């Protein structure tokens, strides 16, 4: 039988929708007159990205990157590989990275370094969730949905060993 962890609701879909409206207002205000390139970090950010872009009244473009992940191990290995890079030319573009969660900061720091080397006009980060208690590298999050406690969360795109991405709300896995 499949492992059945206990899930406890942390953030409801209603709260997520309100946060996305707020983030969309901030992003629209800051990117007036620009046509930003939003880069989603697969797979975790795809649900967030889908809802966020439909609230943005901007002439935006999309691309995705895929990084090596650490499953449900709860610890970053410290080594991040870009498994699938961006196809869109980035030089001179206003790039906004869309990430699910910043934990130790190791994953997003290496992605930001990889993108910086491609010489964008600007590079900012929008994250659905931040788990600051475990940060190992400083990460400037320009647009943030929620600060979350030091627990493993799933749902709304976030997984544990590829499960629970389809849940509309965000849950904590009870130990
Ligand atoms: P970092 O490199 O430690 O910042 O890890 C960031 C990545 O680990 C995120 O992009 C997520 O894919 C994954 N991750 C970190 N914490 C969680 C969590 O609580 N739930 C699901 N995935 C997580
Ligand atoms: Mg991720």
């Amino acid at each position: 039988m499949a492992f059945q962890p206990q899930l406890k609701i942390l953030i409801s879909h209603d709260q997520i929708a309100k946060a996305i409206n707020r983030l969309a207002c901030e992003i629209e205000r800051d990117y007036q007159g620009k046509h930003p390139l939003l880069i989603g970090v697969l797979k975790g950010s795809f649900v967030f990205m889908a809802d966020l872009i439909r609230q943005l009244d901007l002439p935006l473009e999309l691309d995705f990157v895929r990084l090596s992940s650490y499953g449900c191990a709860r610890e970053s290995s410290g080594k991040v590989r870009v498994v699938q890079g961006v196809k869109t030319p980035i030089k001179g573009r206003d790039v906004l990275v869309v990430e699910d969660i910043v934990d130790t900061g190791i994953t997003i720091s290496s992605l930001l370094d990889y993108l910086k080397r491609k010489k964008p006009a600007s590079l900012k980060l929008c994250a659905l969730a931040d788990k600051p208690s475990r940060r190992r590298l400083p990460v400037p999050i320009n647009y943030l949905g929620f600060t979350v406690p030091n627990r493993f969360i799933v749902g709304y795109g976030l997984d544990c060993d590829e499960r629970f991405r389809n849940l509309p709300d965000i849950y904590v896995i009870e130990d």
Side-chain angles (χ1 to χ4, degrees), residues 121-133:
S122 67
L123 182 60
K124 287 188 178 186
L125 173 63
C126 174
L128 174 65
D130 181 19
K131 216 190 271 181
S133 50

Side-chain angles (χ1 to χ4, degrees), residues 59-71:
L60 57 84
E61 283 173 49
L62 290 188
D63 207 337
F64 292 94
V65 285
R66 178 110 183 248
L67 308 173
S68 52
S69 70
Y70 57 89

Side-chain angles (χ1 to χ4, degrees), residues 11 20 25 29 45 48 53 55 57 68 70 78 82 88 90 92 104 108 114-115 125-126 135 143 146 155 162 166 174:
I11 306 167
I20 288 178
C25 285
R29 181 197 61 208
S45 73
F48 176 44
I53 58 165
Q55 299 300 321
D57 186 11
S68 52
Y70 57 89
V82 176
T88 318
I90 283 181
T104 63
I108 202 68
Y114 159 86
L115 293 172
L125 173 63
C126 174
R135 192 74 89 254
Y143 308 98
F146 302 94
E162 296 303 325
N166 54 321
E174 299 274 87

Side-chain angles (χ1 to χ4, degrees), residues 70 99-101 103-107 131 152-153 158-159:
Y70 57 89
E99 173 63 306
D100 53 1
I101 180 165
D103 185 11
T104 63
I106 291 170
T107 304
K131 216 190 271 181
F152 203 81
I153 62 171
L158 290 145
D159 74 309

Side-chain angles (χ1 to χ4, degrees), residues 41-45 67-72 74-78 80 99-110 129 131 134-136 139 148-155 157-160 165 171 173:
V41 185
L42 290 174
K43 302 175 197 172
S45 73
L67 308 173
S68 52
S69 70
Y70 57 89
C72 199
R74 304 186 188 197
E75 280 302 325
S76 183
S77 66
V80 183
E99 173 63 306
D100 53 1
I101 180 165
V102 182
D103 185 11
T104 63
I106 291 170
T107 304
I108 202 68
S109 294
S110 57
K131 216 190 271 181
R134 293 192 2 124
R135 192 74 89 254
R136 283 167 60 190
V139 176
V148 297
N150 185 12
R151 306 290 299 278
F152 203 81
I153 62 171
V154 295
L158 290 145
D159 74 309
C160 179
R165 292 193 196 276
Y171 295 82
I173 294 196

